[in-house]
Amino acid sequence: MFEQLEKHAATARDNLAKATSVDDLENWWRQTLGRKGEVQLLSRGMGELAAADRPAYGKRLNEVKGELEAAFEERKAELKQLELAHKLDAEAIDVTLPGRRPAAGTLHPSTRIMRDMCRIFGDMGFQIYRSPDVVTDRFNFEYLNMPPEHPARDMQDTFYTTDPNVLLRTHTSAGQIMAMREYCPEPIRVVLPGMCYRNEQITARSEIQFHQIEGLAVGRNITFADLKGTLIEFARRYFGADRETRFRASYFPFTEPSAEMDISCMLCAGKGCRVCKKTGWLEILGCGMVHPTVLRYGGYDPEEWSGFAFGSGPERIGMLRYGMTDIRYFWGNDVRFLEQF
Ligand code: PHE
């Protein structure tokens, strides 16, 4: 019996040394010191001993039990220490590594150009007037002095809806009459920013959708000098005070007289290059005095009222300012392009 006790105790110590996890430890405890464990069984076997041997055996059994319990606690502490060391090792953070910067978005170049332009006109007293992208034929053409069959309609290839009277505006001029009818009989000074659509071949210079910023001023004494003064001041503020400007006579059905405005080419400083096609000038917008017919459609008597209007393409203007070579970058969604803003 005594021998058996020592043998069990030795095996139990060996097994304890082999325990490498909390699970192992728990199993060991159950097998060895638990209610149905070996030590318990050994103490039950005491009845088979001669009465004289029992006290010595009981004493030794208690000692063994105490030793095993102590060994258990020791092993447990050891394992805990190991586990902690392991965890620290695995979760180690190298604080000297450079951080990863989260990608922050920026304004789309188009939005940025539009805002810069609108801010300049805003500083000059123009309010922003919002008008819809989908309009009837009348607002886009007829009220702008382009009755059906008018040849100028062909200048702007149009996207129609299933209803031939409803279309995607080809220019922000479509909002002119809406503004007039809302403000009449008060004077007007507004800019109309928005997307325009034309059913055209897409090239480096033309897209099927693009923004425009329309300007419209109506008052009792507005002259061509006001138009020139406003636009020259805009060009100075947007492109810089050293840019030269010029107006060329042009034609639009809804303005009379009409003009186009150029600025001196910033790439070659007027000497002539590929971008300005050797002319030294870059076209930035169309403009003119509001046609009497248009004023009348808007509710204003052209005998008493006059006005000027202009229409500019922010993408084109931005291309000139930032030296971009292809308008298709704007909707190409290439982050390498977009990130530069
Ligand atoms: N709507 C004209 C265009 O898209 C531009 C313009 C606007 C010209 C207002 C004169 C006055 O080409």
Side-chain angles (χ1 to χ4, degrees):
M1 276 297 271
F2 279 90
E3 246 170 67
Q4 218 187 340
L5 173 60
E6 296 307 331
K7 226 173 85 193
H8 272 295
T11 327
R13 277 195 205 92
D14 280 355
N15 285 341
L16 187 60
K18 284 185 207 146
T20 54
S21 69
V22 177
D23 274 356
D24 288 352
L25 270 185
E26 272 172 13
N27 285 334
W28 181 90
W29 179 270
R30 217 176 303 116
Q31 265 174 31
T32 317
L33 293 167
R35 264 192 307 127
K36 291 176 186 166
E38 282 163 11
V39 174
Q40 198 62 31
L41 290 178
L42 286 169
S43 77
R44 274 190 215 142
M46 204 150 49
E48 293 161 29
L49 280 174
D53 290 335
R54 280 183 203 163
Y57 182 79
K59 188 171 166 240
R60 182 63 195 136
L61 188 65
N62 271 334
E63 277 168 17
V64 167
K65 199 175 164 195
E67 281 164 24
L68 287 177
E69 272 168 6
F72 173 82
E73 290 304 331
E74 201 178 303
R75 184 68 187 148
K76 194 161 111 184
E78 234 172 70
L79 276 182
K80 271 209 175 134
Q81 203 57 45
L82 268 175
E83 245 165 54
L84 182 66
H86 195 70
K87 208 170 156 191
L88 285 177
D89 224 31
E91 292 175 3
I93 295 171
D94 183 350
V95 291
T96 65
L97 279 177
R100 254 163 290 178
R101 193 180 277 279
T106 54
L107 287 181
H108 190 277
S110 205
T111 307
R112 165 134 181 226
I113 297 162
M114 301 259 290
R115 288 193 184 176
D116 287 347
M117 289 176 63
C118 284
R119 189 177 308 117
I120 292 173
F121 287 116
D123 289 346
M124 293 198 269
F126 287 79
Q127 286 188 310
I128 290 185
Y129 187 87
R130 295 275 170 201
S131 58
D133 294 31
V134 182
V135 295
T136 58
D137 180 276
R138 287 193 173 135
F139 285 95
N140 200 78
F141 294 121
E142 212 173 316
Y143 296 150
L144 294 172
N145 202 22
M146 286 180 276
E149 315 306 330
H150 192 288
R153 287 186 173 216
D154 295 343
M155 282 161 61
Q156 304 178 352
D157 295 305
T158 310
F159 284 116
Y160 289 92
T161 63
T162 46
D163 178 347
N165 277 313
V166 179
L167 49 91
L168 298 183
R169 66 173 166 204
T170 59
H171 50 182
T172 42
S173 303
Q176 278 192 26
I177 301 289
M178 299 180 194
M180 287 189 209
R181 292 187 175 175
E182 194 169 320
Y183 278 83
C184 189
E186 299 293 324
I188 306 177
R189 222 184 312 163
V190 291
V191 281
L192 300 82
M195 191 69 89
C196 301
Y197 310 85
R198 288 187 200 175
N199 194 358
E200 279 177 0
Q201 183 80 32
I202 297 174
T203 69
R205 281 178 53 81
S206 64
E207 257 285 4
I208 56 170
Q209 71 174 72
F210 53 89
H211 285 105
Q212 279 193 344
I213 295 179
E214 188 91 2
L216 175 68
V218 176
R220 293 194 181 265
N221 290 304
I222 289 184
T223 67
F224 201 87
D226 296 317
L227 168 62
K228 283 182 74 175
T230 304
L231 293 178
I232 290 170
E233 185 55 25
F234 163 76
R236 284 167 53 87
R237 293 196 196 180
Y238 190 75
F239 291 104
D242 50 343
R243 287 270 78 72
E244 284 180 59
T245 52
R246 74 173 184 187
F247 290 80
R248 275 178 295 109
S250 185
Y251 171 76
F252 299 103
F254 35 93
T255 46
E256 182 60 35
S258 303
E260 273 166 323
M261 184 185 184
D262 297 341
I263 56 165
S264 56
C265 180
M266 50 264 288
L267 291 170
C268 62
K271 285 199 235 23
C273 66
R274 198 173 51 85
V275 173
C276 61
K277 297 193 196 116
K278 307 250 182 270
T279 63
W281 295 95
L282 298 161
E283 181 198 322
I284 62 164
L285 53 81
C287 58
M289 300 305 290
V290 181
H291 195 285
T293 304
V294 177
L295 281 174
R296 222 174 276 122
Y297 274 125
Y300 292 88
D301 178 357
E303 297 297 324
E304 285 177 41
W305 296 85
S306 58
F308 68 74
F310 58 86
S312 63
E315 281 85 28
R316 287 261 176 97
I317 285 182
M319 284 170 76
L320 299 179
R321 173 155 164 188
Y322 296 110
M324 300 174 196
T325 50
D326 198 317
I327 200 168
R328 289 169 291 196
Y329 284 130
F330 279 99
W331 317 130
N333 275 341
D334 185 335
V335 283
R336 290 170 304 176
F337 167 73
L338 298 173
E339 269 172 359
Q340 296 177 41
F341 291 84

